[in-house]
Amino acid sequence: MAPRTHTVTNQAPPLMGYDVYASDRALVEAVGRHLPPEVAAEAGEELTALGVSAGSAQALEWGRLANENPPRLRTHDRYGRRIDEVEFHPSWHRLLGRGVAAGLSGGAWGRPGGHVRRAAAFMLASQVEAGHGCPLSMTHAAVPALRADPELAAEWEPLLASRVYEQQLRPPLEKSGVLLGMGMTEKQGGSDVRANTTRAEPLAGDGGYVLTGHKWFCSAPMSDGFLVLAQAPGGLSCFLVPRVLPDGTRNPFAIQRLKDKLGNRSNASAEVEFDGSTWARPVGEEGRGLRTIIGMVAATRLDCVLGSAALMRQAVAQAVHHASYRAAFGGLLVDKPLMRNVLADLALESEAATVLGMRLAAAYDAADSGAEDEQAQERALLRIAVPVAKYWVTKRCTPVVAEALECLGGNGYVEESVLPRLLRESPLNSVWEGAGNVQALDVLRALQREPGALNAFLVEVGRARGADHRLDRAIRDLLAELADLDGIEARARRLVERMARVLQGALLVRWAPAEVADAFCASRLGGDWGASFGTLPHTLDLGAVVERARPLA
């Protein structure tokens, strides 16, 4: 029996038992905007089902358990035989199986509106638990890389697109569905993969190779296969390394240890060794490994954007939910002018990230199946806008989550609030698939070597010219900066940040409610903004911005 002093009042109820999809107005509008009507209706039904599941007490409990019971490495069986297996909590498998069943692995390619539908679903799944998104992302992104070898793609792509999750390690072509991981970076090189030393030596007869070397970060080491970069006689090349060979024997793939990471605790990242007998199949031509795998990298970078947008959305939803129930100083927190300013500022950042991520997903759909001219335009836009978005959205994630945590006060600093897990997760997408400087330099390469990319970017932002004077001025300032190439590398971050804010502003001016676009342009483009959240001009319609971000719990 609780003591009489233990009366609980003025505490917000847990944010659960709600439709995560329907509550996200920016996401719902983006799906309707980027899909044709005949596809949007079906997608809406699928996403609503996912949204209800994502907001359920059961799914949230799975996310908690998967993070509180991180994966364990088993290098040997009881008899001393090397097995190199990673054990996960059952909750991890439930989340991963649900993601595969929802088509988040390889099913978006070639499906009408497939990338928009998957992007929205990926954001919903990531709000439940972010770690299980890694193997889903790797598998999805492997499809364009495998298409460098049509025969290989014909074998593997149907398995990647399957909605059946089989966790057991068996010969891949005997399974109903498979997952793929990736191994690019090595100890000495990191993002400079041309410094890789792993060797690939051709075998006589079967067209295969054997690998000798290591990978410092191997994503999703429990997968059925891995795309790996290695130095072949013809130069840096891409290879597919299956975990189990066709005869049922284990391919030598020694997992040395699992990384002890800041966040992403439910997901395994490993150091692996190839001992000179690890069999691999080439993907594409020798010496063209970077060109082969770059499509995979671009797709996973977009997932970094979507994953960060999902973390921001969940953090903002938690903050607005708390403030809508918590009373202090004579009224609800959400009605206090200063708290409303903070919440509105956070909501702007979240919506801008969502709108940008979904626009890029739509570009993938158009590049995959649009008319020829549209395909070229959208591919050029993706070439520059993906690293721009990857740089900026993932950078904004951590301060958004940290400020949202503070909105809950001491409650937000406690693990049960979910915010600490979101905060630990928040820096990852900025590091994964090339950290900030790598993204900024990639944008410079696109500007210097691919003039069509800049033209596609300017066409995209130009669609909103004349609608807001602050956006127009920001576009002019950006053009002036682009015209001056002196010292461009040292100021690459400044340039890419400007490009991202201009692109987000242009999209919001075209598609967001007037109060959202006005507040974004006044603060992010017009300069009427402080150095921390909660410094929006008080004359804006902040109440409408906050109300739009409120979860429908």
Side-chain angles (χ1 to χ4, degrees):
M1 179 177 178
R4 284 179 294 174
T5 57
H6 194 73
T7 302
V8 178
T9 61
N10 197 27
Q11 288 283 352
L15 180 55
M16 64 174 61
Y18 76 111
D19 185 343
V20 178
Y21 176 62
S23 292
D24 191 343
R25 294 164 180 80
L27 184 59
V28 172
E29 290 168 10
V31 170
R33 176 166 59 244
H34 294 304
L35 291 180
E38 64 274 14
V39 176
E42 180 187 51
E45 292 179 3
E46 290 180 358
L47 292 168
T48 295
L50 282 173
V52 171
S53 175
S56 69
Q58 182 183 61
L60 297 175
E61 180 68 359
W62 288 345
R64 182 186 71 81
L65 291 171
N67 278 271
E68 291 188 2
N69 299 275
R72 297 192 316 158
L73 173 61
R74 294 182 63 228
T75 56
H76 297 78
D77 68 9
R78 59 183 291 196
Y79 303 105
R81 286 186 287 262
R82 189 98 194 194
I83 57 173
D84 295 289
E85 292 187 2
V86 182
E87 289 183 343
F88 294 84
H89 190 273
S91 293
W92 160 270
H93 291 295
R94 292 185 182 107
L95 289 168
L96 187 54
R98 190 182 66 167
V100 171
L104 300 186
S105 44
W109 305 92
R111 184 188 187 196
H115 291 278
V116 166
R117 299 170 74 160
R118 179 192 174 274
F122 189 80
M123 286 187 62
L124 299 178
S126 297
Q127 289 184 63
V128 177
E129 198 286 314
H132 77 286
C134 175
L136 296 171
S137 180
M138 294 286 106
T139 304
H140 160 73
V143 171
L146 290 176
R147 287 178 175 177
D149 184 326
E151 182 181 346
L152 200 59
E155 291 178 5
W156 283 75
E157 194 169 331
L159 298 173
L160 302 180
S162 170
R163 297 198 176 202
V164 176
Y165 173 52
E166 290 189 31
Q167 66 187 71
Q168 297 82 9
L169 285 175
R170 295 194 291 121
L173 300 186
E174 295 179 10
K175 297 182 70 172
S176 299
V178 300
L179 297 173
L180 284 188
M182 179 171 63
M184 291 179 62
T185 60
E186 299 182 3
K187 298 183 186 76
Q188 73 286 346
S191 295
D192 183 8
V193 294
R194 294 187 186 278
N196 284 7
T197 59
T198 296
R199 301 192 316 275
E201 300 171 5
L203 294 170
D206 69 355
Y209 287 66
V210 289
L211 304 185
T212 305
H214 80 282
K215 293 299 167 185
W216 188 232
F217 277 93
C218 177
S219 300
M222 72 296 169
S223 299
D224 298 286
F226 302 86
L227 290 180
V228 169
L229 290 179
Q231 300 286 357
L236 189 65
S237 306
C238 182
F239 296 90
L240 174 61
V241 179
R243 282 289 269 119
V244 181
L245 298 173
D247 64 2
T249 60
R250 300 289 180 96
N251 202 8
F253 185 90
I255 302 177
Q256 301 296 80
R257 63 171 176 166
L258 301 183
K259 300 289 192 180
D260 186 7
K261 298 171 294 185
L262 167 68
N264 206 241
R265 306 291 292 183
S266 71
N267 178 44
S269 302
E271 298 170 24
V272 301
E273 300 281 342
F274 310 127
D275 70 352
S277 60
T278 303
W279 187 86
R281 183 170 173 179
V283 182
E285 301 175 23
E286 273 194 12
R288 296 173 67 85
L290 276 179
R291 182 177 292 274
T292 299
I293 211 167
I294 197 67
M296 182 178 194
V297 172
T300 51
R301 284 178 176 175
L302 176 54
D303 275 1
C304 289
V305 175
L306 297 169
S308 290
L311 291 173
M312 284 192 253
R313 170 57 194 165
Q314 181 58 210
V316 171
Q318 293 285 347
V320 174
H321 176 75
H322 174 84
S324 298
Y325 285 91
R326 181 76 161 183
F329 310 112
L332 291 175
L333 288 176
V334 74
D335 296 326
K336 302 298 181 183
L338 188 52
M339 177 59 83
R340 188 187 306 130
N341 197 314
V342 173
L343 295 172
D345 215 348
L346 294 173
L348 287 178
E349 204 70 44
S350 172
E351 180 154 352
T354 296
V355 169
L356 176 53
M358 293 301 291
R359 171 63 183 95
L360 296 180
Y364 262 101
D365 278 328
D368 208 18
S369 58
E372 188 173 339
D373 290 347
E374 184 184 23
Q375 285 184 354
Q377 175 75 9
E378 296 295 84
R379 285 172 183 158
L381 177 63
L382 288 168
R383 173 63 188 93
I384 196 166
V386 167
V388 165
K390 163 69 163 73
Y391 173 83
W392 184 239
V393 172
T394 63
K395 281 272 184 278
R396 298 302 293 156
C397 186
T398 299
V400 166
V401 175
E403 191 69 53
L405 182 155
E406 187 175 325
C407 290
L408 276 67
N411 286 347
Y413 206 69
V414 175
E415 288 292 338
E416 290 169 310
S417 74
V418 181
L419 271 301
R421 191 171 87 210
L422 299 182
L423 184 60
R424 286 193 299 273
E425 196 74 36
S426 63
L428 173 62
N429 286 320
S430 185
V431 176
W432 192 28
E433 300 300 2
N437 284 355
V438 172
Q439 304 306 312
L441 293 174
D442 194 33
V443 173
L444 293 191
R445 278 193 294 274
L447 290 172
Q448 294 165 343
R449 301 177 187 177
E450 302 178 47
L454 176 58
N455 181 68
F457 179 89
L458 295 176
V459 167
E460 185 68 23
V461 300
R463 293 190 172 107
R465 293 187 81 163
D468 187 284
H469 65 94
R470 295 155 300 194
L471 174 62
D472 290 345
R473 184 171 61 248
I475 293 174
R476 289 195 300 270
D477 292 345
L478 176 61
L479 290 172
E481 186 157 3
L482 287 167
D484 177 14
L485 298 180
D486 185 42
I488 188 70
E489 183 172 327
R491 54 188 174 87
R493 284 190 172 216
R494 171 187 169 89
L495 174 63
V496 175
E497 177 182 329
R498 274 193 164 186
M499 292 176 70
R501 286 190 281 112
V502 165
L503 180 53
Q504 287 180 323
L507 296 177
L508 291 174
V509 164
R510 290 170 63 195
W511 294 324
E515 60 270 14
V516 173
D518 183 34
F520 186 93
C521 290
S523 55
R524 276 69 170 171
L525 302 179
D528 194 359
W529 196 33
S532 63
F533 289 104
T535 55
L536 294 172
H538 72 279
T539 54
L540 298 170
D541 189 356
L542 303 183
V545 177
V546 174
E547 184 58 33
R548 179 172 167 80
R550 186 194 302 270
L552 305 175

